[in-house]
Amino acid sequence: MRAVQALRYGGPEVLAVTELADPVAGPGEVVVGTEVAPVLRLDTQLRQGWGRDWFPLTPPYVPGSGVAGRVVSVGPDVDPAWVGRTVVADQPGGYAERVAVPVGALIRVPDGLSVRDAAALLHDGRTAVHLAKVVGVRPGEWVLITGAGGALGLLLVQLAHAAGGRVIAAGRDGRKLDMARALNAKRTVDYSAPDWPAEVRAMTGGHGVDVVFDGVGGRLGATALDLTVPNGRFSAHGLAAGDTTPLDTEGASRRGITVFGMDHVTLSGTPVAAEATATAMADAVAGRIRPVIGQTFPLERAADAHTAIEERTALGKTLLLV
Ligand SMILES: NC(=O)c1ccc[n+]([C@@H]2O[C@H](COP(=O)([O-])OP(=O)(O)OC[C@H]3O[C@@H](n4cnc5c(N)ncnc54)[C@H](OP(=O)(O)O)[C@@H]3O)[C@@H](O)[C@H]2O)c1
């Protein structure tokens, strides 16, 4: 089968298409014929060699965090009724034509949802649904979302609006901010402008924001924390700027702000993840949310997909079509 491998740590150019042996379903496994592989910002960071303490990947390895497609074969002890079903799975090594997956990791794609939308929701949908639930948005609250035009950001915009929040979508790319506005962000702000914090304060009549979903981190995230009202909530899930928010947790706690850290989005393999994924897919079928798939690439152009994410030209979700 064809697969992409990261031949070493480095830039997108380390990704190469190779021929590998087809996987065989062992006990408790199925093989999925990949139709779509979601591309995560995390995939680009791991390719650079970031996060080896948590994700022990040694090149050459097949990148990817998930797979969407049809079950093509099952292991000796697995119900053969799985064959032919359309599924998604949160499984490493998705940039390949076939992927072996433990049967317990399979999530059936519901009727009425395309395999592309299911792939787009696999990680970002569940994270957005879970964050929206634990952080909570109440009607009338001001909600600041940084990196709002990203894959997760555009889902959070929709969920925060649906909960009655007044969403301020923050980004630097006009195309992404236009999309956030089309998805009912009340206001948008360009955080590449030095006076953006003052703009946000003015938008809220000097109040500040009740809730922050920070998808960027770094200094920008720290500024967003300053904009949070006393007793507000702040989700520090963002790493797009290369680092999490250097949080003044003591200052935040003195102001009564509840900070939700990375542990709230580290969901892989947990029952919470399966439940949140199912909710996200059901919400999409019902038309309550829609994943924005901004760009797709064939498998052999995985390097271009990574470049689009790293250069911040990617709008919403990026997928590899296999
Ligand atoms: N997706 C998940 O399930 C999940 C789970 C846990 C954590 N996260 C984290 O949540 C964040 C958002 O995820 P996502 O999937 O929406 O990512 P994404 O699609 O890559 O979007 C992130 C956005 O951040 C903005 N950004 C600001 N500063 C940046 C910088 N220095 N470099 C790159 N982008 C920058 C970009 O928008 P502008 O160009 O408009 O600024 C970009 O569109 C990421 O840090 C990710 O690691 C995601």
Side-chain angles (χ1 to χ4, degrees):
M1 67 168 181
R2 282 181 319 139
V4 170
Q5 281 190 316
L7 300 178
R8 55 190 181 281
Y9 297 125
E13 71 283 354
V14 305
L15 299 179
V17 180
T18 49
E19 271 301 318
L20 296 177
D22 279 0
V24 176
E29 287 183 336
V30 308
V31 170
V32 176
T34 312
E35 290 172 35
V36 184
V39 184
L40 269 65
R41 173 165 290 277
L42 177 67
D43 300 345
T44 69
Q45 292 168 315
L46 297 179
R47 191 210 64 231
Q48 289 164 356
W50 174 90
R52 286 182 232 176
D53 290 346
W54 308 287
F55 304 92
L57 290 168
T58 307
Y61 69 89
V62 178
S65 306
V67 60
R70 274 177 203 275
V71 175
V72 293
S73 60
V74 298
D77 54 348
V78 174
D79 183 352
W82 276 106
V83 175
R85 285 184 184 161
T86 302
V87 296
V88 289
D90 179 9
Q91 177 73 16
Y95 296 10
E97 287 180 323
R98 288 173 181 234
V99 182
V101 180
V103 70
L106 297 175
I107 301 172
R108 286 188 72 170
V109 175
D111 291 342
L113 191 68
S114 72
V115 71
R116 289 188 191 195
D117 281 356
L121 290 168
L122 173 60
H123 302 93
D124 310 330
R126 79 164 185 223
T127 305
V129 161
H130 182 67
L131 275 180
K133 185 172 161 191
V134 296
V135 176
V137 172
R138 298 173 200 129
E141 285 188 321
W142 284 104
V143 182
L144 176 66
I145 300 174
T146 64
L152 179 60
L154 287 172
L155 291 170
L156 286 169
V157 167
Q158 296 173 67
L159 290 170
H161 168 74
R166 290 183 280 181
V167 174
I168 301 174
R172 69 161 195 186
D173 179 322
R175 210 170 47 110
K176 297 181 199 173
L177 293 180
D178 286 348
M179 179 57 78
R181 203 182 270 277
L183 294 170
N184 292 314
K186 190 175 177 67
R187 305 297 297 267
T188 57
V189 65
D190 177 350
Y191 48 43
S192 61
D195 62 346
W196 78 271
E199 253 189 87
V200 170
R201 281 205 191 282
M203 283 171 191
T204 61
H207 170 77
V209 291
D210 303 287
V211 179
V212 175
F213 292 105
D214 177 31
V216 174
R219 283 179 50 201
L220 204 136
T223 305
L225 182 59
D226 290 342
L227 287 167
T228 311
V229 299
N231 303 318
R233 283 101 68 213
F234 185 97
S235 172
H237 59 272
L239 271 177
D243 208 348
T244 46
T245 302
L247 287 176
D248 172 12
T249 42
E250 278 183 24
S253 118
R254 273 198 303 278
R255 293 163 58 215
I257 296 170
T258 306
V259 175
F260 299 84
M262 273 293 170
D263 45 327
H264 286 88
V265 288
T266 313
L267 302 176
S268 284
T270 65
V272 169
E275 194 188 313
T277 306
T279 303
M281 294 202 295
D283 281 352
V285 172
R288 287 189 286 271
I289 55 171
R290 77 172 170 94
V292 175
I293 299 168
Q295 48 286 311
T296 62
F297 297 86
L299 180 67
E300 55 274 17
R301 287 185 56 209
D304 291 337
H306 278 212
T307 301
I309 290 175
E310 288 179 328
E311 293 187 347
R312 294 164 74 169
T313 56
L315 164 77
K317 191 69 197 167
T318 304
L319 300 176
L320 294 181
L321 306 183
V322 183

